Amino acid sequence: MEDNRLPADVLTSVMSRAATGPRAACIAAMVSPAFRSAADSDTVWSRFLPADLAPLVYPSPPPRSKKELFLRLSGTHVLLEDGLTSAWLHRETGAKCYMVAARAMHIVWGGSPQWRWIPRQDSRFPECAELLAVCWLDFSGSIESRMLSENTRYAAYLVFKMDDDCYGLDSPLQVASIYIGQDEISSHPVRLQNNIGNEQNDGAEEGAAPRLPMERPDGWMELEIGEWDNHGGEDKQVCARVRETTYGGNWKKGLILQGFEIRPKN
């Protein structure tokens, strides 16, 4: 049957059920003018927007359609009212994503002269935490599970940079863990700084090679802390933590923390 024989409201209703995600809607819009009209409708794109959009600041000027609103919220981040959390929508799925600033994290000795707070123009937040000198690392950040999209597999990533004169962050290995409530659901060895020659000892005691950081398109580094399934229906705290299990190890310097990011696991 030709699509132009279907009433517009029927085609829109069918499209709203058949389009499984934003990508599918965009593909359908290329089929024909009638499909484009249905695929671009507010009825279809409302399905990809979270029901609780209130925490997200509506972009200015006001969007002309639900599709435009989705594309804006998935194309850039917006700061929430606390100024310490940025939010956006995952373009592939419409799931909610967040970055929590270092200021909102718990950093052992973060309020001492061992750390300092510095402004950076390439950060989403007014301040980042810069490590000056400690012999033991332990920092964590948390978010309420009710803020996340239901039935979504998420991953948390530490977002950071290194000073040119950084040292001591390659040894001993760190441990990255995810907690839901009081339960630790994942734990992996990681290495914030990877230097040539570390490979011989990587994972010798843990039984697995450590995860290493990767460079992001925005120039920062990210290190996967762990992943979990957010089923919904619960109101628990999700905590992402990176720490050294050996107290009083090497002295270290030069780590710059922007925060940690939570987004759907690809």
Side-chain angles (χ1 to χ4, degrees):
M1 180 183 295
E2 295 180 7
D3 59 85
N4 57 9
R5 295 181 181 177
L6 289 174
D9 57 339
V10 174
L11 186 57
T12 298
S13 178
V14 172
M15 189 71 68
S16 69
R17 292 170 173 78
T20 56
R23 179 185 292 271
C26 291
I27 292 175
M30 297 186 294
V31 173
S32 71
F35 267 59
R36 183 181 304 111
S37 178
D40 288 348
S41 68
D42 284 352
T43 301
V44 171
W45 285 88
S46 292
R47 296 182 60 247
F48 310 139
L49 291 167
D52 54 343
L53 264 180
L56 294 178
V57 179
Y58 276 81
S60 182
R64 294 169 296 179
S65 66
K66 298 295 186 181
K67 180 180 180 180
E68 183 177 329
L69 174 61
F70 178 90
L71 293 178
R72 288 197 201 176
L73 292 178
S74 63
T76 185
H77 67 275
V78 293
L79 279 179
L80 302 190
E81 290 184 358
D82 62 5
L84 299 175
T85 309
S86 70
W88 66 101
L89 299 182
H90 191 251
R91 180 153 288 191
E92 294 290 331
T93 64
K96 290 177 284 187
C97 307
Y98 298 92
M99 182 184 285
V100 177
R103 266 294 186 189
M105 296 174 63
H106 174 69
I107 303 174
V108 173
W109 296 313
S112 72
Q114 278 72 34
W115 290 81
R116 69 175 179 178
W117 296 94
I118 60 172
R120 289 190 63 98
Q121 293 184 349
D122 57 353
S123 171
R124 299 183 185 181
F125 307 104
E127 295 178 307
C128 294
E130 181 183 16
L131 171 60
L132 298 181
V134 297
C135 61
W136 182 54
L137 287 176
D138 190 349
F139 42 81
S140 60
S142 61
I143 193 169
E144 299 297 326
S145 62
R146 59 181 171 80
M147 295 178 64
L148 306 175
S149 297
E150 296 184 0
N151 303 317
T152 302
R153 187 161 187 81
Y154 277 97
Y157 302 84
L158 185 71
V159 182
F160 64 98
K161 280 190 173 184
M162 299 283 190
D163 272 345
D164 293 337
D165 58 350
C166 64
Y167 61 79
L169 295 162
D170 59 336
S171 180
L173 285 178
Q174 298 88 28
V175 176
S177 305
I178 295 291
Y179 300 83
I180 298 183
Q182 300 298 318
D183 299 326
E184 182 183 67
I185 63 168
S186 72
S187 183
H188 303 277
V190 297
R191 192 189 298 281
L192 288 168
Q193 182 182 19
N194 188 38
N195 291 332
I196 298 175
N198 288 330
E199 293 80 0
Q200 292 181 352
N201 297 322
D202 279 355
E205 297 181 0
E206 294 81 359
R211 292 176 177 173
L212 301 176
M214 299 182 63
E215 186 172 1
R216 295 158 52 99
D218 60 7
W220 289 78
M221 303 294 292
E222 70 175 24
L223 178 68
E224 183 178 324
I225 301 174
E227 57 188 84
W228 71 98
D229 290 312
N230 190 62
H231 298 293
E234 297 179 326
D235 187 9
K236 292 186 177 181
Q237 189 176 70
V238 180
C239 176
R241 183 183 183 189
V242 176
R243 70 192 189 281
E244 291 177 348
T245 57
T246 302
Y247 182 81
N250 295 341
W251 284 89
K252 48 204 91 242
K253 175 183 183 294
L255 178 66
I256 301 173
L257 293 179
Q258 180 177 182
F260 78 98
E261 185 171 291
I262 297 175
R263 63 179 190 260
K265 174 73 174 182
N266 290 330

